[in-house]
Amino acid sequence: MRQDEITDIVERAAKLVAEQYVFPEVASGIAAHLGDRLRAGAYDGAADPAALGALVTSDLQAANGDLHLRLKHHETPLADIAGDPAEEQFAQLAARTMGGVARVERLPGNVGLLEIAPYLFPPQLAGDLVIAALRLLAGTDALLLDLRSNRGGSPDMVALVCGWFFAEPTHLHTMHERAGTTHQYWSAAWLPAPRYAPDKPVLVLTGPETFSGGEELAYDLQQLGRATVVGERTRGGAHPRVGHRLHPHLELTVPVARPVNAASGTNWEGCGVAPDVETPAGEARDVAYRRALEALLAADPGRPTAAEAREALAALS
């Protein structure tokens, strides 16, 4: 990359961070650090956009480890438009991945399995597909919600999915923006699918790849007492961000707000979502499945699916 090109990208990044980052007192320090590093020649001779993105990201995150604050490299060129430069790519990914509905299955014992990956896409892109999955699973007696490969997504989709689990609209969190304004997020008041009865066990599977919106869904259900989280601690990225195209292959993502959960009064930034049942992510499905089957048999040993539930438990032993 040319040196003038590198200088322009880093200077623009520093300016945007100073103007928009959710914590103003941190933002000024990060911007100054980028300027110091630029003058010290830290980015001189970056071989390509990917290399520059990695160097700048390391410096952006040096202050407080905010994983949403980064200079992200994209293999596919970004759209040169106002607003989110990766929006078109995101929509194409939603279309290729069935709106994030990676797996829908009824397991023996009438336990449902829903895997949402790679993202919780916005309702306007994937709402119909997610609702279809929820309708299919409505008749199951317990649910495994697999978020181990979920890398984030839309808080509006989180609110939609949470609406399935709560009988009444439930305050999930309040988003606090840098400018001092706030916005409340509540679980969806109505869905075109039967609610998942509050007495049905829900177990959420997490791992070290679970991030951002995936963490929010796990955290909301856990903190509001609707689900048990099984697996490993998640990555720890809570701040929603906006994207800026600084180069055809480089997007600066700047966190602009912080959520405060209605139950905990805090969030999962920097610490991740701690599982209620800690187990290696690769074993989380079997562990959660066993717990679901045991809970169903304990509640009603004579249930119509008791025989297949016992067979499934025996196979897990």
Side-chain angles (χ1 to χ4, degrees), residues 5-315:
E5 186 178 30
I6 292 171
T7 298
D8 178 65
I9 290 169
V10 176
E11 288 181 344
R12 289 166 62 200
K15 183 175 185 293
L16 287 166
V17 169
E19 293 173 347
Q20 298 183 356
Y21 186 60
V22 58
F23 301 118
E25 66 282 4
V26 178
S28 57
I30 294 173
H33 181 58
L34 287 186
D36 291 342
R37 294 281 287 161
L38 178 64
R39 288 185 290 274
Y43 312 121
D44 291 358
D48 52 38
L52 179 62
L55 289 169
V56 173
T57 295
S58 179
D59 287 335
L60 286 169
Q61 296 178 1
N64 61 353
D66 191 328
L67 298 177
H68 279 107
L69 181 61
R70 54 187 173 168
L71 186 61
K72 183 178 180 179
H73 177 259
H74 293 265
E75 290 289 345
T76 304
L78 295 163
D80 189 7
I81 58 173
D84 187 346
E87 182 177 1
E88 182 178 346
Q89 292 182 14
F90 205 54
Q92 292 172 354
L93 181 60
R96 292 197 306 271
T97 59
M98 295 197 305
V101 180
R103 191 178 187 91
V104 182
E105 186 176 356
R106 178 197 177 274
L107 303 176
N110 204 32
V111 175
L113 171 65
L114 172 60
E115 180 182 359
I116 302 179
Y119 294 102
L120 287 145
F121 293 102
Q124 64 269 27
L125 295 179
D128 288 346
L129 294 167
V130 171
I131 290 295
L134 301 183
R135 292 181 67 88
L136 284 171
L137 293 163
T140 58
D141 296 323
L143 182 75
L144 311 183
L145 178 58
D146 191 348
L147 301 176
R148 289 175 294 177
S149 297
N150 191 288
R151 303 199 297 271
S154 163
D156 292 319
M157 180 59 86
V158 172
L160 184 150
V161 175
C162 282
W164 193 54
F165 293 109
F166 296 108
E168 300 292 337
T170 301
H171 183 200
L172 304 175
H173 69 269
T174 299
M175 196 68 75
H176 294 257
E177 300 175 354
R178 170 171 167 157
T181 56
T182 60
H183 176 75
Q184 289 188 349
Y185 282 85
W186 291 67
S187 63
W190 179 85
L191 292 176
R195 303 275 178 175
Y196 207 64
D199 61 338
K200 293 183 178 183
V202 177
L203 299 101
V204 180
L205 316 184
T206 62
E209 294 184 13
T210 310
F211 187 56
S212 192
E215 294 178 283
E216 180 191 343
L217 180 52
Y219 190 80
D220 286 346
L221 293 174
Q222 178 194 57
Q223 294 299 316
L224 292 165
R226 186 60 187 91
T228 299
V229 176
V230 180
E232 294 184 48
R233 187 180 292 269
T234 61
R235 289 183 65 193
H239 301 146
R241 90 302 184 280
V242 296
H244 301 276
R245 181 184 185 272
L246 300 189
H247 177 277
H249 293 276
L250 290 173
E251 177 192 14
L252 177 70
T253 66
V254 184
V256 294
R258 60 182 179 88
V260 176
N261 181 267
S264 70
T266 183
N267 59 46
W268 60 97
E269 175 66 29
C271 60
V273 180
D276 301 298
V277 180
E278 189 169 0
T279 189
E283 301 173 14
R285 173 176 160 170
D286 285 351
V287 171
Y289 186 25
R290 183 182 296 110
R291 289 177 68 94
L293 292 169
E294 290 172 345
L296 293 176
L297 289 171
D300 182 6
R303 64 178 51 250
T305 58
E308 64 175 359
R310 292 190 181 96
E311 289 179 6
L313 272 175

